[in-house]
Amino acid sequence: MENIQNYQILWFVLVLILFAGYALLDGFDLGIGALLPFIGKTKEEKDILINSIGPVWDGNEVWLITGGGALFAAFPHAYATAFSGFYLAMMLVLFALIFRAVSMEFRANDEERAFIWEKAFTVGSGLAALLFGVALGNVVYGVPLDNKMEFTGSFFTLLRPVPLLFGITGFAAVLLQGAAYAVMKTEGELQKRSFRAVSILLRVNLITAIAYFMTMAFTFPGLTSNWVFYVAILFTLLGLAGIFFSLKKENDSAPFWESSFSFIGLWLAVAAFHFPNLIKASNDQNLSITVFNSSTGLPTLKLMSVIAIIGMPVVIGYTIFVYRIFKGKTKVSDHY
Amino acid sequence: MSALLLARIQFAFTIGFHFLFPAMTLGTALIILISETLYLIKKDEVYKKITNFLARLLGLIFVIGAATGITMEFSFGTNWSGYSRAVGDIFGPILAAEGVIAFFLESVFIGVLIFGRNKVSAKVYWVAALLVFIGGHLSAFWIVVANSWMQTPAGYAINEAGKIVLTSFTDTVFNPSTIIRFCHTVVASWMTCAIMVAGIAGYYVRQGLHGQTAKTMLKIGIILFALTPLLQLATGHIHAIEVINMQPEKAAALEGHFDTAKGVPLYLVGFVDEQKEKTYGIYAPKALSFLYNFDWNSEIKGLKDFPKENWPPVNLTFQAYHIMVGIGMLAIALGLLGAYLLWTKKIYEAKSYLLILPFLIPLPHIAHETGWIAAEVGRQPWIIYKLMKTANAASVVVTAGEIVFSLLMFFLIYLLLAIMFIMLFMKIVKNGPAV
């Protein structure tokens, strides 16, 4: 493995895993946030929903921070181009994430204005989920770049139909992830409402996922001959079908795993047609930022591999330990 | 205003705001660990009450620290993409290591600390407190590594393409200023919370609230308040010598020292006239030379030995540094007074001392903010000392108008966070450890 290309490919995979891990984990708590007023009707129900993610959301968000750090360390040009190029959109993501984080704590301590913080929580969660998809859609679909790897578009470049479809597809997947998590963590009337949400979102996801895969097949020539793409479709469809049968049996834990499985399919599709690009240039394919022209040197990539290969299993280990502490149905008394 | 200046103002504002919270997190984690350890040993409910109370405060502090911390990681890409492109090989792994090795640990176990009291045994709870303490301090370590590398870069080479590449990660991590800067930063955080806890407990004791819990809290707070400023004097001293050796221009700016000379005075308060290149004020003759290596006549380099385009803003650096030192000295005096009152068992009746304590809570914050200003402004015009200028580090595609918008938004959002934080902090304090 002395060849730098092997490390560049490895880090493409690892960065993708970190961002996909973020999407699955923070996905369910962003989903809970966005669905809060639709699933939770009384104060007590809202308390339960927020308490269900209270102990874990901050750990989930570290996947984003680590993903960002890994992108910076492995492919600094991709990190620099996307974050500076999508400046206003990134600022909106940031403001959304700030509001969704603090509003849970503020709501718990500031009863008089709790309703304002609930709205901030919902809007912040939903907006962040939507914008992440749009951002990913843009780097995949392509943005105009110059020969210094700088973005030459504007804020409105980001709002083209295909990236917006990515945003909507991701948003729908996050909502499903949130609803499925709610089904797992709640009981009674609240759980019934969560089941209904899963059932509606299942249909929505079926439509968005089909639109997503079809658009991809038409937009990216060559994709239809890539076997990974078909595996991706299979993952998503199997996941969604699984939810359909779990709903029939009123199984309250399987939908979460099936929803995650379906989400992984969406990410696999990105992997299938995006490699070796990190940010595709829409104006001239030769200007694209790829894993090969934007990476750091071999010593850095090797060092990062050691940190990731030793560190991440430990992280995943204690994360599972903590999830087990809080497993089972969330009670209203579980404090926020 | 230029986009560069706006980007600098935005970074200074957002990091200055963010830093308040991790500083409180580290100290609170320390005091929680102390009180939870005492609970495990003595099985006295008082300690459990203190931990629970501090865990509530920590929840509020941590969430704002985490939320405003994402801004910092984003900002290297959004506003400093020139810097990010240049230093990905070195700065990237430091940030990634911070995530993998440190921040995960802190963030995952803080959930147990805040939500898990009734879900886990006392021992597991103690382990969670320990891991939050370790995770937080490791996190601080990596961030200090990143900053120290910008001050005293090491472990890199410039390759034939003119790119900065990694040669030794060990040298990068343990660059000449990492260890002492880490000690100085961490002790600042401990001191911040020593005074915070002493201040809160002082208020309770003076009002006759929360009985023994308040008294025990006061005791823990005062002991740390007596120790940490003294410890900080030691780390500060070593750090200052390191700066004189490694970054002589900055050291000269800290003291407003223009002409290389022997027997250099130490200013207690003063003013630097940057036009006339002269410093006025009250000073102790030859004291700076003495502090440098305990020789009244040692030579210290002045700013005029360096090209003027590489001078930092001298008066700002000087003033910020002197405010920090002044607060440090005041803290030593007040901490020792507190220790004396505690030793002689007069503290619970020392009404005027207890009255002052809560008002001291902002002081360490002012000290570490001014300390950072001295360290960072004192490094200018460099973003990486003698390697890259700040002027070459900003994002080229981000316009001044865009930064005006984001800066305004940050100002408004952070103002809201500050108001909410103070309000809810007061509310949690008012509810007290009994609830």
Side-chain angles (χ1 to χ4, degrees):
Chain A
M1 282 266 286
E2 273 307 291
N3 192 337
I4 189 167
Q5 289 195 354
N6 292 331
Y7 283 95
Q8 288 164 332
I9 295 166
L10 173 70
W11 274 96
F12 178 83
V13 175
L14 290 178
V15 167
L16 205 69
I17 289 177
L18 283 169
F19 282 123
Y22 171 72
L24 291 181
L25 290 171
D26 217 27
F28 75 72
D29 50 53
L30 290 172
I32 291 276
L35 291 169
L36 187 75
F38 305 102
I39 303 181
K41 293 296 173 196
T42 64
K43 180 186 177 297
E44 190 174 288
E45 288 175 348
K46 287 176 185 168
D47 283 348
I48 291 175
L49 287 169
I50 294 177
N51 288 347
S52 74
I53 61 168
V56 294
W57 72 266
D58 43 7
N60 294 343
E61 200 167 270
V62 183
W63 285 79
L64 174 67
I65 294 171
T66 304
L71 186 65
F72 191 168
F75 308 110
H77 291 291
Y79 167 78
T81 301
F83 279 65
S84 63
F86 308 169
Y87 188 79
L88 291 176
M90 287 297 176
M91 289 297 142
L92 286 180
V93 169
L94 206 50
F95 301 148
L97 285 177
I98 290 173
F99 273 112
R100 83 90 190 225
V102 299
S103 56
M104 281 178 268
E105 187 72 26
F106 289 175
R107 174 186 177 274
N109 288 303
D110 182 24
E111 289 91 4
E112 301 102 273
R113 276 167 290 268
F115 68 99
I116 297 178
W117 300 120
E118 276 165 20
K119 287 203 176 70
F121 181 49
T122 299
V123 174
S125 301
L127 189 63
L130 184 68
L131 290 174
F132 280 128
V134 176
L136 183 68
N138 273 290
V139 301
V140 169
Y141 184 58
V143 290
L145 297 176
D146 67 13
N147 60 5
K148 292 193 181 96
M149 298 187 172
E150 298 287 2
F151 175 72
T152 56
S154 72
F155 180 70
F156 297 100
T157 311
L158 306 178
L159 305 178
R160 291 159 301 167
V162 172
L164 283 180
L165 174 66
F166 269 67
I168 292 165
T169 308
F171 184 55
V174 161
L175 292 180
L176 180 60
Q177 192 76 348
Y181 185 76
V183 161
M184 185 161 69
K185 301 296 282 184
T186 61
E187 300 163 288
E189 198 54 39
L190 181 55
Q191 192 189 36
K192 270 189 201 148
R193 227 175 285 126
S194 307
F195 264 125
R196 269 205 296 283
V198 172
S199 157
I200 295 166
L201 287 166
L202 171 64
R203 283 167 213 153
V204 174
N205 269 268
L206 195 63
I207 297 167
T208 54
I210 289 172
Y212 170 82
F213 287 122
M214 298 246 304
T215 309
M216 276 186 178
F218 285 117
T219 316
F220 305 103
L223 189 60
T224 43
S225 56
N226 186 337
W227 62 271
V228 183
F229 182 61
Y230 296 99
V231 176
I233 295 174
L234 198 66
F235 265 55
T236 298
L237 292 182
L238 277 180
L240 295 178
I243 296 176
F244 179 77
F245 290 110
S246 298
L247 283 178
K248 285 207 152 167
K249 285 186 280 184
E250 293 197 17
N251 184 329
D252 66 353
S253 62
F256 179 73
W257 302 106
E258 286 150 355
S259 162
S260 304
F261 201 69
S262 145
F263 209 159
I264 290 171
L266 300 178
W267 277 95
L268 261 185
V270 172
F273 62 80
H274 198 37
F275 184 84
N277 287 342
L278 290 165
I279 302 175
K280 187 177 164 184
S282 56
N283 43 337
D284 176 357
Q285 177 57 41
N286 295 320
L287 295 175
S288 291
I289 298 175
T290 72
V291 295
F292 304 119
N293 69 11
S294 73
S295 87
T296 46
L298 190 57
T300 299
L301 292 177
K302 276 186 177 171
L303 166 76
M304 290 285 297
S305 305
V306 173
I307 294 175
I309 287 161
I310 298 174
M312 283 316 287
V314 178
V315 169
I316 292 168
Y318 62 67
T319 302
I320 292 172
F321 172 76
V322 168
Y323 270 89
R324 288 178 66 91
I325 292 176
F326 295 99
K327 77 168 191 242
K329 303 292 178 188
T330 307
K331 302 276 185 287
V332 71
S333 60
D334 286 351
H335 162 80
Y336 208 117
Chain B
M1 236 190 263
S2 73
L4 173 67
L5 185 59
L6 285 162
R8 289 179 63 185
I9 293 171
Q10 180 166 303
F11 193 84
F13 175 67
T14 51
I15 198 141
F17 187 87
H18 169 66
F19 190 74
L20 299 168
F21 297 91
M24 284 189 268
T25 306
L26 296 190
T28 309
L30 170 72
I31 301 177
I32 285 179
L33 182 63
I34 292 173
S35 122
E36 198 54 24
T37 306
L38 291 169
Y39 174 61
L40 215 57
I41 297 168
K42 299 190 178 178
K43 304 271 183 283
D44 185 343
E45 287 293 310
V46 160
Y47 296 109
K48 190 176 174 180
K49 280 186 189 165
I50 294 175
T51 311
N52 288 354
F53 171 67
L54 291 177
R56 266 203 297 285
L57 282 181
L58 184 62
L60 179 63
I61 294 165
F62 181 80
V63 79
I64 299 183
T68 55
I70 313 170
T71 305
M72 302 334 302
E73 200 203 36
F74 272 47
S75 71
F76 296 114
T78 52
N79 293 89
W80 303 99
S81 65
Y83 176 74
S84 301
R85 289 181 203 280
V87 300
D89 282 67
I90 296 200
F91 208 77
I94 298 173
L95 288 190
E98 194 262 346
V100 174
I101 299 172
F103 199 49
F104 263 123
L105 193 65
E106 184 184 13
S107 302
V108 168
F109 282 96
I110 212 158
V112 180
L113 213 54
I114 297 168
F115 294 87
R117 180 59 103 177
N118 302 321
K119 301 228 168 216
V120 297
S121 69
K123 281 191 183 129
V124 173
Y125 194 80
W126 179 84
V127 170
L130 178 69
L131 292 176
V132 168
F133 174 83
I134 293 175
H137 284 73
L138 280 176
S139 191
F141 176 79
W142 286 105
I143 298 304
V144 167
V145 165
N147 180 263
S148 297
W149 189 80
M150 297 163 82
Q151 307 277 358
T152 54
Y156 69 94
I158 312 275
N159 72 5
E160 57 278 15
K163 231 185 104 39
I164 301 169
V165 291
L166 182 68
T167 54
S168 161
F169 195 56
T170 317
D171 290 351
T172 295
V173 172
F174 296 100
N175 68 67
S177 64
T178 294
I179 296 292
I180 188 59
R181 191 186 312 278
F182 175 66
C183 295
H184 197 57
T185 308
V186 162
V187 176
S189 310
W190 293 353
M191 188 170 131
T192 302
C193 286
I195 296 177
M196 183 180 93
V197 168
I200 295 170
Y203 162 77
Y204 289 156
V205 171
R206 192 168 186 279
Q207 301 286 323
L209 298 166
H210 309 300
Q212 190 54 44
T213 312
K215 287 184 178 170
T216 307
M217 237 170 96
L218 183 65
K219 198 169 157 185
I220 297 173
I222 292 292
I223 292 172
L224 288 172
F225 183 16
L227 294 176
T228 48
L230 286 174
L231 204 55
Q232 195 63 326
L233 183 65
T235 64
H237 175 73
I238 299 167
H239 195 9
I241 291 171
E242 175 269 314
V243 175
I244 294 174
N245 290 330
M246 299 301 303
Q247 294 175 284
E249 304 94 312
K250 188 205 275 187
L254 293 173
E255 288 296 344
H257 174 50
F258 287 95
D259 296 288
T260 299
K262 292 178 174 168
V264 179
L266 180 77
Y267 283 89
L268 304 177
V269 285
F271 170 79
V272 182
D273 186 333
E274 294 183 50
Q275 301 298 318
K276 290 185 187 151
E277 299 178 358
K278 252 186 94 64
T279 304
Y280 309 92
I282 304 166
Y283 60 85
K286 297 191 177 190
L288 184 62
S289 284
F290 178 73
L291 286 174
Y292 174 51
N293 58 1
F294 300 111
D295 172 357
W296 295 102
N297 287 310
S298 59
E299 187 182 89
I300 307 250
K301 278 202 170 143
L303 277 166
K304 287 181 187 167
D305 274 18
F306 304 96
K308 206 166 178 180
E309 75 261 20
N310 290 347
W311 291 10
V314 187
N315 192 44
L316 177 57
T317 309
F318 176 95
Q319 298 302 349
Y321 179 69
H322 282 77
I323 291 171
M324 176 195 74
V325 174
I327 291 174
M329 296 303 154
L330 183 66
I332 291 175
L334 291 170
L336 289 177
L337 176 61
Y340 167 76
L341 291 170
L342 184 69
W343 183 258
T344 55
K345 302 195 166 58
K346 288 180 197 152
I347 194 153
Y348 307 114
E349 279 75 43
K351 292 278 176 195
S352 41
Y353 186 75
L354 295 177
L355 179 67
I356 308 169
L357 270 181
F359 296 100
L360 301 181
I361 292 175
L363 279 188
H365 288 289
I366 298 170
H368 58 58
E369 291 289 325
T370 48
W372 276 110
I373 291 170
E376 304 306 296
V377 173
R379 188 194 58 222
Q380 301 301 325
W382 306 101
I383 190 164
I384 313 165
Y385 183 57
K386 289 194 176 165
L387 199 57
M388 184 179 195
K389 291 218 165 155
T390 309
N392 301 326
S395 298
V396 289
V397 298
V398 180
T399 63
E402 287 173 321
I403 307 177
V404 168
F405 166 76
S406 58
L407 185 55
L408 193 69
M409 289 298 290
F410 276 121
F411 179 73
L412 293 174
I413 294 172
Y414 283 15
L415 181 69
L416 177 69
L417 296 188
I419 293 170
M420 287 306 298
F421 175 76
I422 293 171
M423 208 174 86
L424 299 180
F425 186 92
M426 301 279 213
K427 194 169 171 182
I428 294 172
V429 168
K430 219 171 167 187
N431 287 337
V435 193

